[in-house]
Amino acid sequence: MKVDIVLGLATLWAVGVGVAFWAALRLTARGHQRDRRDRLGLDSPTDGGKDHPRPRALVQHVGARILQRWPLEGKSTARLIDGSGLTGKITVAEMMGWRACAASFGLAAGGIVVLLFGSRAWVTVPAFVLLGWFGPQLTLFRCRDAYRRDVGRSLTTVMDMLALSMEAGMGLDRA
């Protein structure tokens, strides 16, 4: 009996992952179509007038709503994004949205664990939610540290090139 439930849940999970993967591929293809249409200057969408929102825009909208409630968290995240060298690549609202999305996935994963292992596994739900909420921020910490290491490595090369240029008689503005 227990094996049948686990097999059924595993099958359901596999189908869900397959559908999510298919949807992600479909959204990516539509995004590429939209980009090509914009480059060619075409006005009307090719899919019958339906213009679907992009996933990053939805996540950014959720993140903007979170930032309205927690502006101080947004300021610390902005400092972290700036320190990691990702300033033009991701916005604070999008990062907060990804954190909320990861926390909701953690909630779903915790629920699946509770379904599989019974009521003693309720402890995993808050752990997965917290891991989902702080996981993207931990990734930003790692990016910040890598960016600092890269700047430190590059700084010695730049200083050597500047010294060689100055010794060669170039002015500081030409070096």
Side-chain angles (χ1 to χ4, degrees):
M1 178 71 180
K2 180 93 171 162
V3 174
D4 294 335
I5 293 173
V6 171
L7 185 62
L9 284 174
T11 304
L12 184 65
W13 180 80
V15 168
V17 167
V19 167
F21 184 70
W22 174 80
L25 288 176
R26 184 81 175 143
L27 283 173
T28 303
R30 285 182 186 239
H32 290 304
Q33 288 174 355
R34 184 181 300 119
D35 292 341
R36 282 193 303 260
R37 188 179 66 234
D38 291 343
R39 272 187 304 218
L40 292 173
L42 299 175
D43 293 332
S44 63
T46 59
D47 56 352
K50 295 183 274 185
D51 195 21
H52 301 287
R54 296 181 182 196
R56 285 184 76 174
L58 291 174
V59 167
Q60 193 166 7
H61 177 71
V62 169
R65 298 289 299 248
I66 292 171
L67 282 175
Q68 289 175 353
R69 299 230 181 220
W70 295 330
L72 293 178
E73 186 72 23
K75 289 180 182 178
S76 66
T77 303
R79 282 194 306 270
L80 196 56
I81 288 172
D82 187 39
S84 63
L86 300 172
T87 303
K89 298 178 182 173
I90 189 168
T91 63
V92 177
E94 185 179 352
M95 186 64 192
M96 296 300 285
W98 285 121
R99 288 176 73 182
C101 184
S104 63
F105 281 131
L107 181 66
I112 290 173
V113 168
V114 167
L115 286 175
L116 290 176
F117 297 108
S119 63
R120 290 181 20 204
W122 277 105
V123 177
T124 61
V125 175
F128 284 159
V129 169
L130 288 174
L131 182 65
W133 179 254
F134 290 111
Q137 194 166 10
L138 293 174
T139 304
L140 273 182
F141 281 127
R142 291 184 65 203
C143 286
R144 183 193 63 190
D145 294 341
Y147 183 70
R148 285 182 179 174
R149 278 193 304 272
D150 288 345
V151 167
R153 287 184 195 133
S154 300
L155 189 61
T156 56
T157 305
V158 168
M159 294 300 289
D160 287 341
M161 294 293 281
L162 189 61
L164 286 173
S165 299
M166 295 297 287
E167 286 176 7
M170 296 175 112
L172 190 59
D173 57 341
R174 299 181 85 198

